[in-house]
Each structure stands twice: as C-alpha cells, then as structure tokens.
C-alpha cells in the first residue's frame, strides 16, 4: 500500500524523561528546513481525556492550541521549534481513544460485534495517526508515543505502530530513543539496557530503524558498532544524543549526527536542499552571547516544578534573545510571599510577572506582588489569573473596594470585579465552562500593548472561566487602570494597563503559548525591553545618589 504522507514514529525505552519531545521537534525542524512540511503528534497513554484537568504538579503545564484543545506541553515545543500552530488532532490520549470507541459502540456502529482492544482500539489509534496525514497539509507526520516501551498502557499504541509498518511499509519508520548510561565505577558506557529495550520492542513485532542514544559521553565507533550489531540497525542509524547546554542546540546536534539524512534515505525521500539553519544559528549565537542581563520574578504557586510554567520560561528565552539580553528568572512561591518578606524578595527585580492559575492557594501573595510592582514602578506583566489579581489589587487599594475579589474565590464578595458571565453559569460540567482557544482582541492605539504588538488587532489564546466585570469599568478607568484591549465581538476586557506606570500590562489571554524561536512574543519582548529600561534608570539614579554622597 502506498501513501503520499510519510509517518515517523518515535518511541522511548529504558526510562522516561529522555526528551522524545525535543528529539521529535528537532528532527521536524531539520526536515522542515529541507523544505518538507512536517507536523508532530503526541499520543499519551493515560486515561484522562486531555491534560486540562490534570494538576500541573503531575503533568507540567497544560498547553492550549488555537482551536481550544488542552494538550500536553510537548506541543509547545513543537510550535516553538516549527513556528507552525498545532491543533486538537496533534494530541490524543487513551481516554479520548476509548471515549470515541465507546461512543461508536453506543451508536451501534460496530453492528453487534464484540468490541475489543484489537482491532477496535488499535484501529481508532491508527485513524488518529492518519488524520493529520489525510488532511494533505503535511509531507511528514512525526508521531511521538508517550511513555516507555514495555509499559502495559503503551501496548495498544505499539501494536498500532506495528500494523502501520506492515500496511505502509517504506512509508513509515521507527526511531527508538534510548539511554546509554555511564557507570562511573566501571568507567564505561553501557549498552545492555538499550539492547533489552530493543528486544522488548522486537517482542511486540517492531524493529526500530534508528536508535537515538541519550548519553553523557561521546559514543565511539566501537560502541556504535556494538549497538548496531546487537540491535539490528545500520551503523549510521546509531545516533548519538548528548546532553545539550540548551534544548535549542539539539537540532544542530542532530544535524551533525545526520539524523535527518538517515531518515530521508530510509523513507526514500530526496534530500531536497541542504537545511538552511542560518536563522536558528543566529538565534543560538545571540542566546549564548547576550550583551546585558536582567532578572525578572515569576510569581506563581507551582514554582517547585518549573515545567508548570514551561511556555513562560521559554518565552523569556525568546524575548531575551530579541533584546540581546540574558533574562534570569527568579522563581517566587506566591504562598511564601508575606507582607514582611515581600521587599526582600522583590526589590532586586527588574520586572515582575504574575502567573496564571486556578483557585485560592497563593493568591494573596500574587496580589501583594502586583501592589509592589505598581507602587514601585517595576515593569509588570500579569497573565490570566495574574491579570485578574492586578484588577483586584487596583480595586482594593486604589478604588478603596476593600472587599473586591473574583467570584472564583469569594462568590458573595461585595465587589465582584472579576466574575463569571451569565451565559456560563448554568454549565455544570467543569470542562465546559472554560473560554478556550483563540479570540480576537482590539487594542487601543498608543497603549503599551499596541506599541509592543505594533498592531491593533490581535488574536490570542485563552484558558479561563472568569472575566473582568464591565459594571466596574468606568470606575477603574477614572482612576487610571485602562481597558486597553477588548474583544471586538463581546466587549469583554482582555488587556488592562495603568496609565501612570512605565509598563504595567495585564492580559486575560496567554501570550506565552504563541512565542516561538522565529516569532518571539511581542508582549514578552516589550516587557523585557521595559525591564532593561527600568534597570538602566535605576542604575543612573544610583549613580546620581553616589555622586551626591
Ligand atoms: N482561574 C482563573 C479563571 O478561571 C484564571 C485561569 C488562568 O489563569 N488560566 O478565570
């Protein structure tokens, strides 16, 4: 059977956290830079329908696509590397697969047959893999299989891969990402775990074509030959994947190992052009050679697990490069911020970002951090709950509405400055009340946000239930907190700014989901730029004080 789209499967062995997402994104980048349209899909073997209801401590950040899917954070890497949006089809979980099959069964679509893992679940998996290919938009679809080969829950996925390899033959290939551990006591790299992992795949009927070997030390030729011989792959298909200084090095490292070349040969695809990675390399050069340095505070309640704010951290890297500046992020636990330590914690910062979130834990620390930024003219970016905290803080401390709150936390508060819209209130299912995905926003000319975007009509992604309560808008504007961005169709406030502050922007949407290497997000670029200015003016103020003394 021939198929115009090529499918690459990426599996993982030996241990989790080997970085399948980054290897997949790096390979996709190399193929894209050779002129192949490429997309990446993640199959997650857990039973949740999507990661939307998962605690970030369990699963890191929930990434949101334009079409409103709540997805795995690896999709963020795919977008940041490829600069191409993903969609709901790019992330599928076991829960969703079973849900679809069970719904079909209820509709009687299986005509009385016994519904089983094989063939019904595996057929559904194969359909989901091919949805992206059948759209006709992509030459190559890379499908990353979550989890580790050998896990019980991964079995139907590996079986689906085996069937696709059989059906599509040379239009498919398998890359197995594995670990070559270094045993310090023996002073040696060890290949046995990799051999076992490949055997496990073979038991399931899948022979990997390429092995990507994560290692802390270089793989010499003897070792490569050994891996090739015992794992049944060609020697040029043993790819060394060394620990990198930054994830953005990985495409270059993979190019040095000729991963893309081997892939194209095995798929019988012409090399087309030599990959042009000039822009990527110039990004890397600037990343490694900053001309200045700032420190911004990220105030959130999940800071122990940095993956919870993955896209924000990456957006700072992109915006730093755009400003030729190293952006150090100080992770500040909002629950630990108190009135007595706030000055010590925040006064060394050049900018303060208050992070998104749900629920009441840590919110008072966030509100205090906003107050500190507002009163000390420190550049401020509030995202989603961070923006809502900015609104609450302004209401309480400037508009003297001491009991102002969001109805998420206090449904009976006297001044519900953040609340739920009427039409949302009757939806019982928690997943159903969210405003998710891309919405348009119109910005006020000459506002800090319009200047940052250099545009007045933007589109950004949302993930929240509560909104700015327009009943209070006039009071806010009168005292200097302006709604500088709003939804042109509904009038919902999407951006607030403070008039007499150098750079204070709160956004109801999530700009971090759209920042990529190629397109650093304008708001982050603007925020970092403002932080640099703030540092400069502080330094010159100190110099004046010094000279006076
Ligand atoms: N909890 C808030 C809401 O639902 C903000 C959500 C967020 O920060 N993503 O509106």
């Amino acid at each position: 059977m021939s198929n115009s789209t090529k499918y690459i499967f990426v599996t993982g062995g030996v241990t989790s956290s080997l970085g399948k997402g980054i290897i997949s994104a790096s390979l996709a980048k190399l193929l894209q830079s050779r002129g192949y349209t490429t997309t990446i899909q993640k199959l997650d073997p857990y039973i949740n329908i999507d990661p939307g209801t998962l605690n970030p401590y369990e699963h890191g950040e929930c990434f949101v696509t334009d079409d409103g899917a709540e997805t795995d954070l690896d999709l963020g890497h795919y977008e940041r590397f490829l600069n191409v949006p993903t969609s709901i089809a790019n992330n599928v979980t076991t829960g969703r697969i079973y849900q679809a099959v069970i719904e079909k069964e209820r509709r009687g679509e299986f005509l009385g047959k016994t519904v089983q893992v094989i063939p019904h679940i595996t057929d559904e998996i194969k359909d989901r893999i091919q949805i992206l290919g059948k759209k006709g938009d992509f030459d190559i679809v890379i499908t990353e299989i979550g989890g580790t080969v050998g896990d019980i829950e991964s079995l139907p996925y590996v079986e689906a891969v085996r069937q696709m390899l059989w059906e599509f033959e040379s239009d498919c290939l398998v890359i197995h990402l594995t670990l070559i551990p270094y045993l310090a006591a023996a002073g040696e790299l060890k290949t046995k775990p990799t051999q076992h992992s490949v055997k496990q795949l073979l038991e399931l009927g899948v022979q990997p074509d390429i092995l990507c070997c994560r290692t802390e030390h270089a793989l010499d030729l003897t070792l490569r030959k050994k891996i090739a011989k015992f794992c049944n792959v060609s020697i040029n298909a043993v790819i060394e994947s060394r620990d990198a200084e930054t994830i953005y090095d990985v495409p270059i490292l993979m190019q040095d190992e000729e991963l893309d070349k081997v892939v194209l040969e095995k798929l019988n695809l012409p090399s087309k052009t030599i990959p042009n990675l000039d822009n990527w390399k110039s990004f890397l050069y600037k990343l490694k050679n900053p001309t200045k340095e700032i420190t911004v505070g990220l105030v959130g309640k999940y800071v122990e697990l940095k993956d919870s704010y993955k896209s924000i951290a990456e957006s700072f890297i992109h915006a730093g490069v755009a400003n030729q500046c190293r952006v150090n992020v100080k992770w500040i636990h909002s629950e630990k911020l108190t009135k007595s330590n706030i000055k010590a914690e925040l006064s060394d910062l050049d900018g303060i970002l208050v992070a998104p979130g749900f629920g009441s834990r840590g919110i008072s620390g966030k509100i205090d951090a906003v107050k500190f930024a507002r009163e000390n003219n420190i550049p401020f970016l509030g995202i989603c709950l961070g923006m809502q905290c900015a609104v609450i803080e302004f209401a309480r401390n400037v508009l003297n509405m001491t009991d102002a709150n969001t109805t998420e936390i206090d449904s009976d508060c006297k001044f519900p400055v953040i609340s739920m819209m009427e039409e949302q209130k009757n939806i019982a299912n928690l997943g159903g009340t969210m405003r998710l995905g891309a919405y348009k926003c119109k910005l006020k000319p000459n506002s800090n946000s319009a200047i940052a975007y250099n545009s007045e009509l933007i589109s950004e992604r949302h993930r929240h239930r509560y909104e700015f309560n327009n009943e209070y808008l006039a009071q806010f504007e009168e005292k200097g907190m302006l709604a500088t961005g709003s939804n042109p169709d509904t009038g919902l406030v999407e951006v607030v700014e403070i008039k007499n502050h150098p750079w204070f922007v709160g956004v109801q949407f999530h700009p971090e989901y759209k920042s990529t290497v190629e397109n650093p997000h304008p708001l982050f670029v603007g925020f970092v730029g403002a932080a640099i200015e703030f540092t400069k003016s502080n330094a010159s103020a100190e110099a004046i004080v010094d000279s006076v003394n």
Side-chain angles (χ1 to χ4, degrees):
M1 188 166 167
S2 175
N3 180 54
S4 56
T5 305
K6 306 282 186 181
Y7 293 95
I8 299 174
F9 301 103
V10 180
T11 58
V14 182
T15 154
S16 58
S17 303
L18 289 180
K20 286 194 295 276
I22 302 297
I23 292 287
S24 304
S26 300
L27 171 61
K29 184 78 223 165
L30 294 175
L31 297 170
Q32 183 195 53
S33 63
R34 282 186 188 264
Y36 288 102
T37 52
T38 309
T39 189
I40 318 170
Q41 176 188 46
K42 172 98 189 262
L43 303 183
D44 274 314
Y46 53 74
I47 305 202
N48 306 63
I49 297 292
D50 61 42
T53 51
L54 277 172
N55 186 329
Y57 284 130
E58 292 265 326
H59 203 69
E61 166 189 283
C62 169
F63 186 80
V64 177
T65 57
D66 276 333
D67 60 354
E70 297 179 278
T71 71
D72 186 78
L73 59 76
D74 270 344
L75 273 75
H77 291 307
Y78 308 160
E79 292 201 9
R80 288 187 280 274
F81 276 54
L82 294 181
N83 199 36
V84 176
T86 53
S87 71
I88 190 164
N90 292 71
N91 190 200
V92 183
T93 68
T94 293
R96 203 177 281 285
I97 299 279
Y98 271 79
Q99 186 188 43
V101 172
I102 291 168
E103 278 170 5
K104 281 184 193 162
E105 188 273 337
R106 294 288 82 187
R107 288 196 299 267
E109 287 184 27
F110 297 112
L111 306 173
K113 287 234 175 313
T114 309
V115 179
Q116 294 179 295
V117 173
I118 297 168
H120 302 101
I121 295 296
T122 44
D123 280 352
E124 185 67 30
I125 295 173
K126 287 194 292 176
D127 285 349
R128 298 290 178 135
I129 293 170
Q130 289 170 82
I131 282 176
L132 288 163
K134 284 183 178 155
K135 271 173 79 184
D137 296 342
F138 304 106
D139 303 320
I140 300 170
V141 176
I142 300 178
T143 298
E144 179 192 340
I145 315 284
T148 308
V149 166
D151 296 349
I152 292 175
E153 55 196 17
S154 302
L155 286 175
Y157 292 97
V158 180
E159 169 59 14
V161 169
R162 187 197 65 75
Q163 291 181 21
M164 280 192 68
L165 290 170
W166 185 79
E167 285 168 34
F168 296 122
E169 296 174 356
S170 60
D171 286 331
C172 292
L173 72 77
V174 176
I175 300 176
H176 189 55
L177 185 58
T178 175
L179 178 70
I180 308 286
Y182 177 76
L183 282 197
E188 269 180 28
L189 287 167
K190 291 295 186 186
T191 66
K192 197 72 90 187
T194 292
Q195 294 181 43
H196 281 303
S197 172
V198 170
K199 289 239 160 62
Q200 200 141 30
L201 257 184
L202 280 169
E203 274 172 29
L204 302 172
V206 173
Q207 164 67 54
D209 299 280
I210 296 172
L211 294 175
C212 257
C213 305
R214 286 301 309 275
T215 167
E216 289 169 27
H217 300 274
L219 298 181
D220 63 21
L221 189 63
T222 323
L223 213 76
R224 286 179 195 244
K225 276 188 183 154
K226 185 172 172 189
I227 297 169
K229 184 169 166 188
F230 293 113
C231 298
N232 217 11
V233 299
S234 48
I235 178 113
N236 67 350
V238 177
I239 304 289
E240 172 189 298
S241 169
R242 290 277 286 279
D243 293 350
E245 196 184 320
T246 141
I247 54 170
Y248 299 107
D249 276 332
V250 180
I252 308 296
L253 296 175
M254 290 301 103
Q255 189 183 29
D256 293 345
E257 285 286 303
E258 301 192 328
L259 173 62
D260 53 329
K261 217 173 135 220
V262 180
V263 162
L264 292 176
E265 273 165 23
K266 292 201 182 285
L267 289 173
N268 294 321
L269 286 173
S271 313
K272 290 203 179 176
T273 50
I274 298 290
N276 180 354
L277 290 169
D278 290 352
N279 289 345
W280 195 270
K281 285 181 181 158
S282 127
F283 170 86
L284 273 176
Y285 178 81
K286 287 189 205 143
L287 178 62
K288 293 178 183 183
N289 298 282
T291 57
K292 42 200 170 300
E293 185 166 355
I294 56 160
T295 301
V296 294
L298 191 161
V299 183
K301 66 171 168 176
Y302 299 112
V303 290
E304 306 92 328
L305 184 73
K306 303 204 165 38
D307 270 1
S308 308
Y309 302 110
K310 192 76 201 160
S311 295
I312 294 178
E314 298 303 317
S315 301
F316 275 128
I317 293 176
H318 308 154
V321 167
N323 281 286
Q324 294 207 303
C325 176
R326 183 191 309 283
V327 180
N328 303 312
V329 177
K330 178 172 172 186
W331 302 79
I332 298 162
H333 202 307
S334 53
E335 251 185 322
K336 296 188 183 146
L337 267 188
T338 59
K339 295 217 168 8
S340 53
N341 70 8
I342 197 154
K343 193 158 181 249
E345 284 292 316
L346 305 186
S347 47
D348 57 337
L349 300 174
D350 306 308
I352 294 176
L353 182 146
V354 175
F358 291 83
S360 58
R361 187 167 71 86
I363 198 154
S364 73
K366 286 185 171 178
I367 293 173
D368 290 344
V370 176
K371 182 167 187 272
F372 192 85
R374 180 177 59 79
E375 291 181 341
N376 294 291
N377 285 325
I378 302 171
F380 169 84
L381 180 58
I383 299 182
C384 209
L385 184 62
M387 171 267 201
Q388 297 174 353
C389 288
V391 170
I392 297 166
E393 190 280 321
F394 198 85
R396 287 183 187 173
N397 299 319
V398 181
L399 304 180
N400 295 318
M401 299 174 178
T402 355
D403 190 31
N405 216 327
T406 159
T407 54
E408 178 177 8
I409 287 162
D410 180 359
S411 51
D412 295 326
C413 65
K414 196 162 160 211
F415 302 105
V417 289
I418 303 289
S419 68
M420 204 182 261
M421 288 184 309
E422 279 308 313
E423 55 263 42
Q424 288 174 287
K425 287 184 183 159
N426 299 326
I427 309 173
N429 184 346
L430 259 194
T433 50
M434 286 257 225
R435 183 145 76 103
L436 285 165
Y439 286 86
K440 273 189 273 175
C441 170
K442 183 124 183 31
L443 300 172
K444 291 243 167 79
N446 299 323
S447 56
N448 272 328
S449 43
I451 293 167
Y453 280 94
N454 193 21
S455 166
E456 280 164 27
L457 188 64
I458 58 164
S459 166
E460 291 285 0
R461 300 179 193 172
H462 291 246
R463 181 178 185 243
H464 57 103
R465 269 182 207 102
Y466 298 86
E467 308 279 355
F468 183 95
N469 185 343
N470 271 325
E471 277 178 31
Y472 295 96
L473 180 58
Q475 293 177 64
F476 276 89
E477 297 220 307
E478 196 193 325
K479 294 282 186 198
M481 179 173 266
L482 311 177
T484 55
S486 56
N487 183 304
D489 306 316
T490 59
L492 287 172
V493 171
E494 313 283 34
V495 188
V496 295
E497 294 186 26
I498 291 180
K499 207 163 45 180
N500 296 322
H501 186 289
W503 211 93
F504 187 106
V505 178
V507 290
Q508 186 59 82
F509 47 75
H510 289 262
E512 72 275 21
Y513 294 144
K514 284 182 70 171
S515 188
T516 70
V517 166
E518 221 162 291
N519 277 322
H521 196 284
L523 274 184
F524 277 88
V525 176
F527 177 54
V528 169
I532 294 169
E533 284 309 311
F534 177 76
T535 323
K536 269 199 234 154
S537 61
N538 260 2
S540 50
E542 275 163 27
I544 294 168
V545 174
D546 280 350
S547 66
V548 170
N549 289 340

